[in-house]
């Protein structure tokens, strides 16, 4: 009698993303990751309503989840807000921690300007080991007043072999200044630190550069697309989006409206006017808190105040990210509030610390994947926000409700409490 073969376990590849907004390049990445990995399913770890550059997403996390599923994703999970609004190491570290604990992900795919995995692996190994010469160089450059990204780049230039960079320091510098390369490097370093079995894989970024503001005939940058949408020119962008998501994107913009940094100017100004140095120092580095207090009388808008606060050793992006974290009340790392208090590397507890991960949406055809995650994962999949623990999800509740309060006021629509929202199912 012929014995029945056990069913093959579904395997998955993963992408960490913001989809702000989802465009042709994102659909290409999902399609190629599925083809090259042979994965049955594509899992997305996605930022919520606020993103890593330090501002609101164009559309809320539910609208962006629907676009991602229409664009080829099978399951979308939420990256906790404290990580989504953090610098690259924290953003990458928490996302990788979730993926590693799911137990079903074989490969992590990311776009990069480099397009080959070898330099990421080699540099990530150095960052993980942190040899003494590298640490000394890093401290020296920081003492000289360099920002951390610049100090790290200089320390790597001093200590890294040019074997993978034929043009030497010039090519290494270009590699470390490319935005997608920076995140890719942090993904690889985070995988190293966890001794994860997930293999990092990269696709060369096609079309426009990350910060390009001009539209491209192939893949335009999300920056250029956001600018056109915020300027009211969305109708002219049909050829910039996959045909399967274009009607839904148009509908979301009409139904929901969209948000930009300046929409949060008034809440931030009121918070600053009502703050003391002690209260600000809970959420901002002390030097930035003092500067914010001294200059708050000159506050005109979120963007203008960000420009006002930046200094030689604090980049504009880091200042904007700090102001957002103040607005969302995400604590700053300190002696009293540090990573030793819980399993993560952030300044507060997250769902991951509670052994949970929030489902933002999935395709019905991904039922075998969900079943496999339940069998293999050390994280429980959570679909109902009302069931989430307040202490571990309070920052995410606050962030989502602040976003919705501003959005609903701007669009003159009823407010939708985050605890009543349900995952997107296609």
């Amino acid at each position: 009698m012929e014995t029945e073969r056990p069913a093959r376990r579904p395997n998955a590849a993963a992408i960490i993303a913001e989809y702000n907004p989802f465009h042709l390049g994102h659909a290409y990445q999902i399609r190629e990751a599925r083809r090259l990995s042979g994965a049955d399913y594509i899992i997305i770890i996605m930022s919520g309503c606020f993103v890593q550059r330090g501002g609101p997403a164009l559309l809320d996390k539910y609208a962006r989840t629907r676009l991602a599923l229409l664009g080829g994703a099978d399951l979308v999970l939420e990256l906790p807000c404290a990580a989504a609004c953090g610098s690259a190491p924290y953003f990458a570290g928490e996302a990788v921690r979730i993926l590693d604990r799911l137990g079903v992900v074989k490969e992590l795919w990311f776009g990069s300007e480099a397009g080959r995995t070898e330099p990421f692996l080699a540099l990530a190994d150095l960052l993980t080991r942190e040899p003494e010469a590298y640490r000394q160089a890093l401290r020296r450059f920081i003492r000289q007043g360099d920002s951390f990204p610049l100090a790290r780049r200089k320390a790597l230039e001093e200590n890294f072999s040019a074997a993978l960079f034929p043009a030497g320091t010039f090519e290494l510098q270009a590699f470390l200044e490319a935005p997608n390369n920076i995140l890719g490097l942090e993904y690889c370093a985070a995988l190293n630190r966890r001794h994860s079995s997930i293999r990092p894989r990269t696709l060369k970024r096609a079309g426009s550069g990350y910060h390009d503001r001009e539209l491209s005939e192939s893949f335009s940058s999300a920056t250029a697309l956001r600018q056109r949408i915020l300027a009211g020119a969305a109708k002219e962008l049909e050829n910039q989006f996959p045909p399967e998501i274009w009607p839904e994107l148009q509908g979301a913009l009409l139904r929901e409206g969209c948000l930009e940094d300046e929409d949060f100017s008034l809440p931030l100004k009121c918070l600053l006017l009502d703050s003391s140095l002690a209260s600000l120092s809970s959420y901002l580095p002390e030097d930035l808190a003092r500067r914010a207090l001294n200059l708050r009388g000159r506050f005109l808008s979120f963007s203008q105040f960000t420009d006002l606060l930046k200094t030689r050793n604090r980049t504009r992006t880091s200042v904007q990210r700090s102001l957002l974290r103040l607005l969302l009340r995400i604590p700053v790392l300190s002696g009293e509030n540090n990573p030793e208090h819980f399993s993560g590397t952030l300044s507060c507890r997250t769902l991951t610390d509670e052994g949970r991960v929030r489902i933002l949406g999935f395709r019905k055809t991904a039922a075998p994947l969900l079943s496999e995650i339940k069998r293999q994962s050390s994280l429980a999949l959570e679909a109902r926000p009302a069931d989430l623990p307040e202490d571990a999800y309070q920052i995410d509740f606050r962030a989502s409700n602040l976003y919705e309060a501003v959005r609903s006021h701007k669009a003159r629509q009823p407010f939708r409490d985050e605890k009543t929202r349900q995952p997107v199912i296609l």
Side-chain angles (χ1 to χ4, degrees), residues 1-297:
M1 180 176 177
E2 187 174 330
T3 58
E4 187 174 319
R5 291 184 180 180
R8 184 177 68 85
R9 288 181 175 177
N11 70 87
I15 295 171
I16 301 166
E18 293 184 324
Y19 296 151
N20 189 31
F22 190 99
H23 56 64
L24 284 170
H26 297 134
Y28 168 80
Q29 184 186 40
I30 290 176
R31 188 167 59 248
E32 286 298 284
R34 191 188 300 274
R35 180 180 71 84
L36 294 170
S37 68
D40 302 305
Y41 301 99
I42 300 295
I43 298 173
I44 308 298
I45 302 290
M46 193 184 79
S47 304
C49 292
F50 294 89
V51 294
Q52 207 246 340
R53 64 179 177 80
L58 192 72
L59 295 166
D60 78 7
K61 58 190 178 185
Y62 301 100
R64 290 171 20 251
T65 293
R66 181 174 292 277
L67 295 177
L69 295 173
L70 289 171
D74 296 294
L75 172 65
V76 181
L77 303 175
E78 185 176 20
L79 179 64
C81 184
C85 301
S87 59
Y90 299 113
F91 180 95
E94 185 75 353
V96 164
R97 185 161 72 121
I98 293 170
L99 291 175
D100 191 50
R101 293 184 63 180
L102 287 179
V104 299
V105 176
K106 304 300 182 186
E107 296 180 353
L108 169 58
W109 284 81
F110 59 92
S112 69
E113 289 82 1
R116 56 194 183 103
T117 310
E118 294 80 6
F120 290 99
L121 297 177
L123 286 168
D125 177 66
L126 188 147
L127 290 178
T128 305
R129 289 187 293 107
E130 288 193 332
E132 184 60 30
Y134 166 77
R135 289 202 300 269
Q136 288 182 3
L138 182 64
R139 287 194 293 266
R140 184 173 73 253
F141 290 124
I142 289 175
R143 284 197 301 268
Q144 291 174 6
D146 290 333
S147 64
F148 179 80
L150 179 58
R152 189 173 74 164
R153 192 197 80 199
K154 289 180 176 180
L156 287 171
E157 288 170 359
E158 271 195 13
N159 291 277
F160 188 71
S161 165
L164 290 171
F165 296 92
T169 298
F170 174 78
E171 191 176 351
L172 176 59
Q173 179 176 334
F175 179 93
L176 293 171
E177 288 178 347
N180 288 284
N181 286 353
I182 293 170
L183 270 176
L185 179 56
E186 295 297 346
Y187 296 149
C188 293
L191 289 170
N192 276 1
R193 293 184 184 107
R194 292 191 64 82
H195 305 289
S196 175
S197 63
I198 298 173
R199 297 187 301 274
R201 302 286 300 277
T202 189
L203 283 173
K204 186 172 179 60
R205 183 183 174 90
S208 299
Y210 184 88
H211 294 300
D212 285 354
R213 297 176 181 273
E214 297 301 319
L215 295 179
S216 166
E217 291 182 2
S218 52
F219 300 147
S220 296
S221 71
T223 301
L225 295 173
R226 281 197 303 274
Q227 282 193 332
R228 299 305 191 283
I229 290 171
L230 290 169
K235 292 180 180 178
E236 304 167 10
L237 300 175
E238 182 173 358
N239 67 336
Q240 300 289 333
F241 296 94
E244 59 270 21
I245 77 156
W246 174 244
E248 181 62 31
L249 175 61
Q250 278 191 305
L253 290 171
L254 288 172
R255 289 191 311 271
E256 307 280 323
C258 55
L259 296 187
E260 58 184 313
D261 299 347
E262 309 304 39
D263 291 317
F264 292 83
S265 295
L266 185 58
L268 179 59
K269 182 175 183 177
C270 291
L271 182 57
L272 286 166
L273 291 175
D274 196 36
S275 295
S276 64
L277 180 60
S279 62
L280 284 185
S281 295
S282 298
Y283 307 104
L284 299 177
E286 187 171 340
D287 63 313
L288 185 59
R290 290 184 184 277
R291 188 166 172 78
L293 279 180
N294 292 337
L295 296 175
R296 62 185 173 181

Side-chain angles (χ1 to χ4, degrees), residues 307-337:
D307 287 329
L308 197 61
L309 292 184
K310 69 178 181 180
T311 61
R312 179 175 178 269
N313 61 352
R314 285 207 181 275
T315 65
R316 187 187 191 285
T317 302
S318 71
V319 170
Q320 180 163 336
R321 198 180 288 131
S322 291
L323 291 176
L324 177 62
R325 291 167 68 85
L326 166 66
L327 189 59
L328 301 180
R329 285 183 276 170
I330 301 173
V332 70
L333 289 168
S334 69
E336 294 74 37
N337 189 13

